Amino acid sequence: EKQIKVPDFSLTDLQGNVHTDESAKGKYLVVNFWATWCPPCLKEIPAFVEFYTNNKDKVLILGLDYEQANQETIVEFTDTFMVNYPIILFNEKNGHQFANFGNILGMPTTYIYSPEGKLVDFHMGEMDITALEKAISK
């Protein structure tokens, strides 16, 4: 069976840190497509925050904000939700890479890759802490 691998990427987060497929190696990589206008996206953010707090030694979460929004709006938003993982804006630098992960048919959509870069879980719709923990315990 053909293994789906993490695509090549180089994404710059709100803090100016660059995350690549190489820098993510050795950790589970959770790529979460979300938007501020998407209620189930907002509902799952606390689960991602808790999950990241518990597992940041072995997990990297990248929140890919799939909307045309300015940085101030998103920063205000993620501060309100106390988001503690890197947020990637859909801008000139990053936007063209979003589709490399696959067709995003709805949001939220979450891809989870193993420390070796193989896709181990794919989820469309809201995830909770149990589903997240289960994905990295396989």
Side-chain angles (χ1 to χ4, degrees), residues 94-110:
N94 300 317
H96 64 283
Q97 300 179 66
F98 278 37
N100 294 355
F101 291 93
N103 289 328
I104 309 305
L105 303 172
M107 280 185 284
T109 292
T110 303

Side-chain angles (χ1 to χ4, degrees), residues 14 33-38 64-75 77 87-99 107:
L14 284 173
F33 289 90
W34 70 287
T36 56
W37 47 259
C38 151
L64 274 58
D65 176 35
Y66 214 158
E67 63 189 311
Q68 301 289 340
N70 69 42
Q71 187 154 334
E72 291 70 50
T73 311
I74 301 302
V75 168
F77 197 89
I87 294 294
I88 314 287
L89 292 186
F90 186 76
N91 56 21
E92 275 172 26
K93 207 183 283 181
N94 300 317
H96 64 283
Q97 300 179 66
F98 278 37
M107 280 185 284

Side-chain angles (χ1 to χ4, degrees), residues 123-135:
H123 192 88
M124 232 175 103
E126 188 190 335
M127 283 193 91
D128 58 23
I129 191 84
T130 314
L132 285 162
E133 296 282 1
K134 207 174 101 185

